[in-house]
Amino acid sequence: MNKRTFIKTTLVGIAAIFVPHRSKALEYYPRPSDKKWAVLYSTWCGSARDAGVWISEGMDGIANVFDVRENPDLSRYDYVIVGGAIRAGRVSQEMQDYLSRNREILKTRLRGYFAVCGNMMQPVTPEVTARLIDKHLAVICGVTGIPSKVFLGRITFGLMEPDVREQMQKMPGIKEYDNLKRDECMAFGKEVLAATSKHKPT
Ligand SMILES: Cc1cc2nc3c(=O)[nH]c(=O)nc-3n(C[C@H](O)[C@H](O)[C@H](O)COP(=O)(O)O)c2cc1C
């Protein structure tokens, strides 16, 4: 390496250290579609993220999938599905705040709701769906009459915040489980797609 090249290389190297790189959130690259779809989820331990990705997979991967903590601008999308993990009967505060803040944007775009919960490992009944979707997510968003689904999720102690894990492990009879089903999530994605061509939300 001659002296000039050495100096140039060194300067470029130093510049690279000091010029901040714009960090970019994880993006799922949707497949081409005539409409732009997004799935927005909130999660603590990842089951609702997997549900969101699998819902998109059921739609042949045409939806971009966002964690609510990315605070995405969903006005760029034609249709949106929102959902999240449940703790103490609610989706995360971040999700509740996001939905309230973006009510106007979501009003015309919402096409589906989902929730992921433990439900004490019992099958999901219409009462559970009413509690988590109709009386919770739909109330915050102010949109009804669109497909909705409650999925059973997972408990993984190692992914919990230490204080939460400690509390959970003290609960009698509690154990790790995995009840989230990819085929159910995919079927919901297909259901939303099919309904969107037929129904208008109220
Ligand atoms: C602290 C805590 C509170 C929970 N509260 C509820 C609840 O109120 N109702 C319910 O059905 N499931 C509840 N669950 C179970 C979660 O909804 C379930 O584990 C879900 O899969 C978590 O989703 P995530 O992995 O996306 O965070 C709770 C779990 C934890 C750890």
Side-chain angles (χ1 to χ4, degrees):
M1 192 187 288
N2 65 29
K3 197 172 160 193
R4 183 183 287 228
T5 313
F6 174 77
I7 292 169
K8 239 172 153 178
T9 311
T10 308
L11 287 177
V12 169
I14 291 169
I17 292 168
F18 289 104
V19 175
H21 292 280
R22 256 191 50 185
S23 69
K24 200 164 186 315
L26 173 65
E27 272 230 17
Y28 296 87
Y29 295 97
R31 291 175 57 79
S33 158
D34 60 333
K35 293 287 181 198
K36 290 185 80 178
W37 281 84
V39 177
L40 179 74
Y41 66 82
S42 55
T43 185
W44 283 274
C45 295
S47 4
R49 172 205 58 217
D50 292 351
V53 173
W54 291 338
I55 289 168
S56 176
E57 284 185 18
M59 305 164 77
D60 295 337
I62 61 171
N64 210 339
V65 185
F66 295 100
D67 187 311
V68 73
R69 289 168 290 196
E70 296 175 55
N71 191 25
D73 173 10
L74 294 181
S75 65
R76 298 187 291 120
Y77 289 83
D78 298 308
Y79 300 134
V80 179
I81 300 170
V82 300
I86 299 293
R87 280 192 181 182
R90 292 269 175 276
V91 291
S92 73
Q93 193 59 49
E94 285 110 328
M95 178 59 103
Q96 295 182 52
D97 293 347
Y98 181 96
L99 296 177
S100 302
R101 232 179 22 249
N102 290 281
R103 241 176 112 106
E104 277 309 303
I105 289 170
L106 293 170
K107 206 164 71 181
T108 53
R109 293 174 173 82
L110 268 176
R111 290 299 182 276
Y113 295 118
F114 70 97
V116 181
C117 70
N119 201 37
M120 294 186 289
M121 301 179 71
Q122 297 304 304
V124 174
T125 60
E127 290 71 33
V128 175
T129 307
R131 180 156 37 84
L132 299 181
I133 307 281
D134 307 336
K135 294 179 190 163
H136 180 38
L137 282 177
V139 171
I140 301 172
C141 296
V143 173
T144 57
I146 57 175
S148 62
K149 181 80 184 173
V150 176
F151 303 107
L152 293 179
R154 295 193 292 255
I155 287 286
T156 313
F157 292 129
L159 296 179
M160 289 173 190
E161 309 91 301
D163 55 328
V164 174
R165 184 193 316 175
E166 200 181 315
Q167 289 302 318
M168 290 293 283
Q169 286 179 325
K170 277 188 197 150
M171 288 167 71
I174 191 91
K175 56 176 181 158
E176 294 199 331
Y177 57 75
D178 179 7
N179 289 325
L180 188 65
K181 302 272 185 294
R182 179 168 172 263
D183 59 343
E184 287 180 8
C185 299
M186 289 181 68
F188 181 62
K190 291 184 202 310
E191 182 192 332
V192 172
L193 262 189
T196 294
S197 52
K198 286 189 213 131
H199 298 293
K200 291 243 174 292
T202 52

